[in-house]
């Protein structure tokens, strides 16, 4: 009997065209996990979106692309540094909700949630 598992990686640390070295360790870890038989994955990469911080480049809402054969959904999340920190898990869960629900609907495999860092990623993923 072959076990098939689909990882749903939920993180705000994942590289993209806007920041190719951001969270590269998460991508490398995932690429190694995918070498196992019966394992597939999709990534929900959350990107803070604010015009108040020029060093954060917001990604378009729910832009999906493939990196190294892995489907990555870049989800723009409204945030105001230092002001919304305590609200971030709720904002992140709401922004990612439609993508996560679509992945669940379209997957026949067991879905395993792989969230990075307890706060806010893990709390948002649990919501």
């Amino acid at each position: 009997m072959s076990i098939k598992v689909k990882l749903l990686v939920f993180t705000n640390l994942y590289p993209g065209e806007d920041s190719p070295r951001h969270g590269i360790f998460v991508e490398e870890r995932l690429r190694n996990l995918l070498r196992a038989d019966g394992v597939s994955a999709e990534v929900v990469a959350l990107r803070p979106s604010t015009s108040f911080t020029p060093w954060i480049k917001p990604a378009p809402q729910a832009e999906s692309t493939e990196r190294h054969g892995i489907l990555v959904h870049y989800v723009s999340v409204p945030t105001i540094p230092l002001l919304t920190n305590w609200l971030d898990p709720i904002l992140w869960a709401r922004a990612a909700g439609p993508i996560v629900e679509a992945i669940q609907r379209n997957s026949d495999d067991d879905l395993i949630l792989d969230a990075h860092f307890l706060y806010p990623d893990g709390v948002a993923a649990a919501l």
Side-chain angles (χ1 to χ4, degrees), residues 1 4 13 22 37 39 44 46 50 61 76-78 117 120-121:
M1 175 192 218
K4 293 181 81 177
L13 292 172
H22 184 72
D37 288 336
V39 178
V44 175
L46 302 155
T50 176
Q61 181 65 30
S76 182
V77 182
F117 299 109
D121 305 40

Side-chain angles (χ1 to χ4, degrees), residues 109-121:
D109 301 333
D110 292 333
L111 198 60
I112 295 177
L113 188 58
D114 178 24
H116 287 269
F117 299 109
L118 175 62
Y119 193 89
D121 305 40

Side-chain angles (χ1 to χ4, degrees), residues 6-10 30 40-44 70-73 103:
K6 182 168 196 162
L7 295 173
L8 174 56
V9 179
F10 195 85
L30 180 56
S40 63
E42 283 187 51
V43 176
V44 175
I70 302 167
L71 185 57
V72 182
H73 309 279
I103 292 169

Side-chain angles (χ1 to χ4, degrees), residues 3-119:
I3 297 175
K4 293 181 81 177
V5 171
K6 182 168 196 162
L7 295 173
L8 174 56
V9 179
F10 195 85
T11 183
N12 73 345
L13 292 172
Y14 206 82
E17 286 188 29
D18 62 332
S19 50
R21 304 211 28 90
H22 184 72
I24 196 132
F25 64 94
V26 176
E27 182 179 55
E28 287 301 314
R29 177 182 159 271
L30 180 56
R31 289 176 66 189
N32 283 308
L33 283 170
L34 291 175
R35 292 181 181 160
D37 288 336
V39 178
S40 63
E42 283 187 51
V43 176
V44 175
L46 302 155
R47 291 289 197 258
S49 173
T50 176
S51 60
F52 301 105
T53 53
W55 60 88
I56 298 174
K57 298 176 186 171
Q61 181 65 30
E63 173 189 325
S64 298
T65 189
E66 205 171 285
R67 280 182 58 90
H68 304 290
I70 302 167
L71 185 57
V72 182
H73 309 279
Y74 294 98
V75 179
S76 182
V77 182
T79 189
I80 300 172
L82 302 176
L83 186 59
T84 62
N85 286 352
W86 61 279
L87 280 177
D88 280 347
I90 296 166
L91 296 171
W92 293 20
R94 290 190 61 173
I99 295 290
V100 172
E101 289 170 6
I103 292 169
Q104 287 176 318
R105 267 193 315 274
N106 297 324
S107 181
D108 294 330
D109 301 333
D110 292 333
L111 198 60
I112 295 177
L113 188 58
D114 178 24
H116 287 269
F117 299 109
L118 175 62
Y119 193 89

